[in-house]
Amino acid sequence: MTPISLLSVLFSADAHATPDRVATVIDSGSTGISEIALSVDEEWVGLIEASGAVSFLNLATWEIQDDNASVCGTADPTAVAFYEDSSSQLFAFVGCSDSTIGIMSYATATGSWGIDTETTDDDATGTDTGDDGDTSGEGTTERFVDIAEGEIHAIHLLNETIYALAADSDGNSNALHSIDPDSLAVDSDGSFPILNITSAFTDAAVNENTNQINVLHSADNVSQLSVTSGAVTAPAVRLGGECEDIAVYNAFVLMACGDGGLYTLTNALNVQVALNDLENMDNVTATGSFESNTGLVVSDADNDTFLLYDLNGNSVVAGLTDSFAYDDADGDPNEMTSIDGYVMASTLGGQVMVLTDRPWVEITTDSGDFASVAVGDTLSLDFTSDTAGSWNLRIGGENGEIAASGEIEAGQTATASVELQDDDLSEGLNQFWIDVTDDQGREGHDAYESLVDNPPGQVQLTANDVGFGDGKIIVDIPAVDDDDLAGYDVYVSVNAFTRSEFSSGGPEFCTDEDGSTEDTAVDVGAIVCDELNEITTPIQVDASPGVDQTVTIDGVTNGTTYYVAVRAVDEGNLEGAMSAVHSVTPDEVFSAAELAGETGGFCGTSLAGSLMLSGLAGLMVAGRRRRRAAAVGLLALGGLAVPLDASAQAIGEPIDLVEQETERKWIERSGSIDFGTVSFDNDELQTVYGESGNLSIFLTQGVSLRHVLGLDFGTGFVRSRGVLTTADGTASAEEVRLTILPFSVSGTARLDLDTIDALEWWPVVVYGSVGLDYWVWRESYDEDFRLVSGDSLGGGKYGWHWAAGGQILLDNFEPDQASVLRSRTGIRDSYLTIEFRENNIGGSALENLGFGVRESNEQGLDFSGSTVIFGLRFDFL
């Protein structure tokens, strides 16, 4: 560009915004267009076609998308308006001739419009189950609004609300309804619907400055409907000519009224002539603005001409500034809309005329040549421009990075080519934008859209992800993050293979030594397919992006080596690279109980009797009512809780401490909650569950004599998770869970020096205890907690324990808080407890103490081991 032409661009930019020709005519495929509407993002134009459909003009590619399935069902579309929600999802609200409003949504991933749907909780018959949690019958249904009036005449968006003008059910007048575009609630504002006194309808336009909707009624008059006050004003002055189009520019209402020229609605609510250029205007059919409402374009049907005028505020400046002809073979314009640099005029012949002064760029490469592209492809686009200039190819739309550039002569064909790199493309719809800038600085464009469907990423399968069970293979599939991931194909074969052998697909499950899948001879070392359970591969697993999956392959043969690999598959059915191949040999596996030869049972106690032990502490507590509620928090498990007195005072009221001290001078009560780890000495338990401690919780309540000698009753809960193993201890991938409910009764001796007056400040109490135990246990392979099930084994073991520990008095650290706690809850002292316990459960534990031992207790699992606990103890008044 020369310095002189650059100065021309800088000082004459406004002049370059005036359309000077019909650059192209786009055929909608319809017999006519009755309405044209611009989307809120100014990237689409909605078209209501006389053929009974709604279509969408893409203002980047200048291509029309037809609606093959009518959003109005058997009715006809009559009006359209766009709405963009808070997540930038674009919707089209389509009015219908049967009083409904259908809703369409734009899918950015595919660049296509479709009827909008929502998930329903209906069963297969379409009947609502009434159960929101029941998803077995979930389906989808089209979203729509039913005004329950007559035909929808017009739809407009104003202040984030959709307004629909509809004929009433009797056809005597029009009613304006409000719709919340998110909830689809109709007329939630008490001022709606707004009843318009005139029934006839021609066109409508929104005045955003005054929050009014202006309605043109045939050739008779124009009404104003206020959406804020609900007021309706209908000017009595009759319009001249045949008025067909109404539009609002700034706050200026203009109407195209045939041989009457342009009319306007004044602030005094009178209709008067805005402009009647007798020299040039013979039959005005449509009007539109350009360049931020500073210019006006008018179509004159008798002369097949577009007339251009200046707009100055709320008036049209007399005097034609320019004009150019159109071909009336395409029909006369009846509606107009505009974006920066372009005016679109729809016609009664089903065309869209594009008016501009910019270079008209047209990509001539067939739209199917690069319908989908991938990294490494060379994209080559042929294009023309009706004006010479410099061109750019941008990847990613109007503001994308420039990938290629050059010069083009008017009417000639140029080619823009680029080899696509990984950073250039995103999954889904990609836009390749070509712009041409002429020597006056005016820029025109066209765009080409392609779907990018790259194969999904490779599954990073490791040897640890492929495990075995008894007659099964368990594969933990690490997630692939591709947005369009559909699932995984799992390949299983008894023949060794490598991923390099398969650029796609995978191996057969079984191939004999001679290469066939039908065995004809049994040779030493040969694979005999007929002797194996057939596995159909690939095994298809549905998945979501970024979510790990686990698949269990049943029916495999123990002792046979299998080879496993996985491919990711996307929604376009493209396969990712095959993962690493790993071998696995299923084998018989055992739980700890099975390894130990445990047969279960409750050592002479019935199952019902053993289960009743879980309520032992609750029954004990229920029989010892206290006069005061102890608000200690949760000290309840298996029925164990701090006792409550029905006659107790409300918490927060002071307790008569003197009376309580006197009453409980010799006998005192206590409770504790402890957390810790339980370790087992048994080899089988260590093999299956590991040597580290198993998390546990214990609850104890007891009575003591002078705070020195005590009797404690306790219960608890121990849970551990492990894996089944082979007979030689090899870990499988099958999980197993061990659950234990321990019950105990213990005698405790405490050395509490603070009972000595001279040592009442002493904060540490040491203690020791010994007691009898009964542990109810269950080893399970299912997910549900059931004491007895088909895939579990359980029973009870008895024994004894000894323990030693220390307790640190907490009252000394916060004496004021301790005093408050004492007065409000009856807790005299609180301690932090640390304890070591040696458990002798099962086996011949009691035999060493002179007791007889039942065989069911001695055989199988031995739960002996140690426990380390930390917790809180509370002594009560």
Side-chain angles (χ1 to χ4, degrees):
M1 185 178 293
T2 66
I4 294 178
S5 62
L6 178 60
L7 289 174
S8 175
V9 170
L10 294 176
F11 290 103
S12 58
D14 289 343
H16 296 160
T18 303
D20 59 7
R21 69 195 187 285
V22 177
T24 193
V25 177
I26 302 171
D27 189 355
S28 71
S30 173
T31 56
I33 298 174
S34 60
E35 184 176 348
I36 182 170
L38 181 66
S39 68
V40 290
D41 59 4
E42 296 191 346
E43 295 180 0
W44 294 90
V45 166
L47 305 171
I48 298 299
E49 300 178 0
S51 57
V54 57
S55 296
F56 300 94
L57 171 62
N58 187 326
L59 298 182
T61 63
W62 303 107
E63 294 180 349
I64 288 180
Q65 289 189 14
D66 292 323
D67 174 28
N68 298 319
S70 175
V71 68
C72 290
T74 58
D76 291 327
T78 56
V80 62
F82 293 89
Y83 169 69
E84 189 175 71
D85 69 9
S86 57
S87 64
S88 299
Q89 172 67 55
L90 187 62
F91 298 92
F93 283 69
V94 181
C96 306
S97 59
D98 62 354
S99 83
T100 63
I101 297 174
I103 303 172
M104 302 189 71
S105 57
Y106 177 65
T108 56
T110 59
S112 59
W113 287 88
I115 297 176
D116 195 52
T117 60
E118 61 183 350
T119 301
T120 62
D121 190 30
D122 295 348
D123 60 21
T125 63
T127 304
D128 192 344
T129 64
D131 180 6
D132 292 337
D134 176 19
T135 59
S136 60
E138 277 191 354
T140 57
T141 184
E142 296 178 10
R143 290 209 308 154
F144 71 96
V145 178
D146 192 349
I147 302 298
E149 296 275 359
E151 177 179 322
I152 306 295
H153 290 319
I155 299 180
H156 292 282
L157 177 69
L158 179 61
N159 300 330
E160 299 301 307
T161 300
I162 294 290
Y163 293 97
L165 186 69
D168 70 2
S169 55
D170 298 328
N172 296 324
S173 60
N174 297 316
L176 184 68
H177 296 268
S178 65
I179 302 160
D180 185 318
D182 294 317
S183 67
L184 304 187
V186 179
D187 295 337
S188 56
D189 187 331
S191 62
F192 283 88
I194 299 174
L195 187 63
N196 192 4
I197 60 177
T198 307
S199 60
F201 173 82
T202 298
D203 197 10
V206 168
N207 189 334
E208 295 181 355
N209 295 275
T210 60
N211 289 321
Q212 292 174 327
I213 293 180
N214 299 273
V215 184
L216 183 63
H217 305 283
S218 296
D220 294 333
N221 65 354
V222 59
S223 298
Q224 283 188 335
L225 287 71
S226 173
V227 301
T228 54
S229 67
V232 178
T233 304
V237 178
R238 181 183 177 86
L239 302 177
E242 289 293 328
C243 298
E244 300 181 18
D245 188 22
I246 185 170
V248 177
Y249 310 117
N250 302 321
F252 188 35
V253 181
L254 274 181
M255 291 154 281
C257 296
D259 59 6
L262 292 173
Y263 278 75
T264 184
L265 185 63
T266 68
N267 292 333
L269 301 180
N270 291 319
V271 176
Q272 67 181 35
V273 175
L275 178 67
N276 191 357
D277 185 350
L278 297 179
E279 182 178 351
N280 300 292
M281 290 181 176
D282 291 327
N283 184 11
V284 177
T285 57
T287 179
S289 73
F290 57 89
E291 263 315 284
S292 302
N293 297 341
T294 61
L296 188 71
V297 58
V298 177
S299 62
D300 185 77
D302 285 0
N303 299 308
D304 301 333
T305 305
F306 286 109
L307 310 172
L308 275 61
Y309 300 89
D310 289 331
L311 272 173
N312 183 12
N314 288 347
S315 64
V316 183
V317 179
L320 186 67
T321 60
D322 200 358
S323 66
F324 51 88
Y326 65 83
D327 187 351
D328 64 352
D330 300 320
D332 294 315
N334 62 333
E335 294 270 340
M336 293 188 193
T337 189
S338 65
I339 59 172
D340 182 29
Y342 299 92
V343 176
M344 280 71 66
S346 61
T347 75
L348 295 174
Q351 316 294 324
V352 178
M353 300 178 180
V354 181
L355 287 57
T356 187
D357 65 342
R358 301 186 175 202
W360 183 253
V361 182
E362 184 174 355
I363 296 174
T364 58
T365 298
D366 190 276
S367 59
D369 288 353
F370 298 98
S372 62
V373 292
V375 173
D377 289 350
T378 298
L379 178 75
S380 294
L381 299 178
D382 296 333
F383 64 97
T384 62
S385 173
D386 63 358
T387 304
S390 57
W391 61 266
N392 295 309
L393 168 62
R394 300 177 185 270
I395 299 179
E398 181 179 6
N399 299 313
E401 294 290 331
I402 296 177
S405 58
E407 300 289 329
I408 187 171
E409 295 296 325
Q412 300 298 310
T413 299
T415 301
S417 297
V418 61
E419 183 176 344
L420 301 174
Q421 306 298 320
D422 187 41
D423 293 340
D424 294 335
L425 304 176
S426 58
E427 198 74 16
L429 188 70
N430 284 248
Q431 193 174 87
F432 303 95
W433 182 282
I434 293 180
D435 57 58
V436 174
T437 304
D438 66 13
D439 59 3
Q440 300 296 308
R442 296 173 295 201
E443 181 183 296
H445 76 272
D446 197 2
Y448 192 98
E449 293 182 334
S450 297
L451 284 173
V452 174
D453 192 6
N454 291 319
Q458 183 183 40
V459 177
Q460 300 303 311
L461 194 71
T462 68
N464 292 332
D465 297 323
V466 182
F468 69 91
D470 191 352
K472 64 184 66 174
I473 298 171
I474 301 171
V475 184
D476 294 324
I477 305 175
V480 169
D481 294 330
D482 295 65
D483 291 338
D484 63 342
L485 178 73
Y488 302 98
D489 283 349
V490 181
Y491 290 92
V492 182
S493 178
V494 294
N495 304 104
F497 66 96
T498 63
R499 60 186 178 189
S500 61
E501 297 178 58
F502 298 95
S503 58
S504 63
E508 297 287 341
F509 168 71
C510 184
T511 302
D512 288 337
E513 290 289 312
D514 62 359
S516 70
T517 57
E518 294 294 331
D519 187 64
T520 56
V522 179
D523 299 324
V524 176
I527 297 174
V528 184
C529 293
D530 291 349
E531 296 183 358
L532 297 173
N533 292 327
E534 178 70 19
I535 303 296
T536 302
T537 62
I539 299 168
Q540 297 179 335
V541 182
D542 294 335
S544 299
V547 179
D548 296 341
Q549 295 290 324
T550 297
V551 58
T552 299
I553 305 168
D554 295 308
V556 295
T557 304
N558 286 344
T560 299
T561 299
Y562 296 84
Y563 300 87
V564 178
V566 182
R567 286 187 187 275
V569 181
D570 68 12
E571 293 175 353
N573 210 31
L574 293 180
E575 297 177 328
M578 181 176 284
S579 71
V581 181
H582 298 286
S583 63
V584 61
T585 305
D587 200 353
E588 186 177 9
V589 293
F590 306 92
S591 68
E594 292 169 332
L595 289 173
E598 174 68 59
T599 58
F602 293 89
C603 305
T605 303
S606 68
L607 173 60
S610 297
L611 292 176
M612 288 176 62
L613 290 174
S614 64
L616 173 65
L619 294 173
M620 173 190 71
V621 169
R624 295 181 176 272
R625 295 291 181 180
R626 298 178 54 83
R627 297 185 59 191
R628 176 63 190 162
V632 183
L634 180 63
L635 283 178
L637 185 65
L640 188 63
V642 175
L644 303 177
D645 187 351
S647 64
Q649 295 168 294
I651 292 178
E653 296 181 8
I655 297 173
D656 188 338
L657 300 180
V658 175
E659 178 186 350
Q660 293 284 5
E661 288 282 11
T662 302
E663 184 181 349
R664 299 303 181 196
K665 185 174 182 180
W666 289 93
I667 303 297
E668 296 177 333
R669 290 185 173 85
S670 64
S672 66
I673 178 169
D674 303 293
F675 301 90
T677 59
V678 176
S679 298
F680 303 114
D681 298 334
N682 181 267
D683 290 339
E684 290 81 12
L685 288 171
Q686 289 186 3
T687 297
V688 173
Y689 298 102
E691 298 181 4
S692 59
N694 304 284
L695 295 179
S696 57
I697 181 172
F698 298 96
L699 295 134
T700 305
Q701 184 150 347
V703 294
S704 65
L705 180 64
R706 290 292 293 169
H707 209 54
V708 175
L709 297 177
L711 184 63
D712 298 317
F713 301 88
T715 186
F717 183 82
V718 181
R719 186 73 180 268
S720 185
R721 186 183 295 268
V723 293
L724 302 177
T725 67
T726 62
D728 63 4
T730 302
S732 74
E734 285 195 80
E735 289 189 346
V736 62
R737 286 160 300 281
L738 175 65
T739 302
I740 301 173
L741 298 178
F743 299 93
S744 66
V745 56
S746 307
T748 303
R750 305 174 75 243
L751 180 58
D752 189 356
L753 298 180
D754 71 352
T755 58
I756 303 173
D757 292 341
L759 296 175
E760 60 182 2
W761 55 271
W762 188 254
V764 178
V765 178
V766 294
Y767 67 92
S769 69
V770 64
L772 298 176
D773 298 82
Y774 188 77
W775 288 19
V776 179
W777 64 275
R778 172 180 174 265
E779 204 172 29
S780 172
Y781 324 128
D782 63 11
E783 292 293 337
D784 300 323
F785 179 66
R786 295 186 303 236
L787 192 60
V788 178
S789 67
D791 55 358
S792 68
L793 182 66
K797 298 281 186 176
Y798 53 77
W800 68 283
H801 74 270
W802 65 265
Q807 297 165 347
I808 302 173
L809 183 64
L810 299 177
D811 301 11
N812 292 345
F813 297 98
E814 290 286 348
D816 293 339
Q817 294 297 326
S819 178
V820 172
L821 185 66
R822 182 179 182 184
S823 65
R824 291 185 176 180
T825 67
I827 295 176
R828 191 189 74 177
D829 295 317
S830 56
Y831 298 87
L832 175 65
T833 300
I834 303 173
E835 178 182 294
F836 174 82
R837 180 179 297 187
E838 183 70 27
N839 303 305
N840 296 276
I841 311 297
S844 57
L846 293 183
E847 184 179 27
N848 297 333
L849 299 178
F851 295 89
V853 178
R854 291 182 179 273
E855 181 180 352
S856 59
N857 194 69
E858 187 175 12
Q859 61 86 34
L861 289 176
D862 187 330
F863 292 101
S864 298
S866 60
T867 302
V868 178
I869 63 174
F870 300 86
L872 294 173
R873 172 189 169 98
F874 304 95
D875 290 343
F876 301 98
L877 295 173

